[in-house]
Amino acid sequence: MVRLAEQLTGHAAEAVAFATEAPYLQQLGCETLVLGPGDIACAHQPDEYLDLDRIEPTVNLLRGMIEHYCLQPASRG
């Protein structure tokens, strides 16, 4: 999942210094990936905003992931 996100975004995955529910979901056996549009510096702050030019790339990323995992036949290897 991480490799696909890297491929679709053109950015390498990296560790982040903020909390999410991802570790708890991983303990339940779910693969997790924390990603999204915007800038973490303004996320979850008063007057939080999202630049409109960040929406289309995020929609394209989600479409690519849905297509890969939900619409393409599973490889048999």
Side-chain angles (χ1 to χ4, degrees):
M1 189 179 342
V2 172
R3 287 188 191 119
L4 178 61
E6 289 177 327
Q7 177 186 351
L8 293 172
T9 64
H11 296 282
E14 59 184 280
V16 294
F18 55 86
T20 72
E21 293 83 6
Y24 304 109
L25 296 171
Q26 285 179 320
Q27 288 177 352
L28 296 173
C30 300
E31 286 188 63
T32 60
L33 179 65
V34 178
L35 62 87
D39 183 352
I40 194 60
C42 76
H44 312 293
Q45 304 291 324
D47 300 323
E48 176 180 9
Y49 66 92
L50 176 63
D51 289 329
L52 292 177
D53 64 350
R54 300 278 187 115
I55 295 174
E56 186 175 349
T58 302
V59 169
N60 292 337
L61 168 64
L62 294 173
R63 282 185 176 143
M65 295 191 85
I66 291 167
E67 180 178 324
H68 178 85
Y69 287 108
C70 301
L71 302 177
Q72 292 181 5
S75 62
R76 310 255 184 226

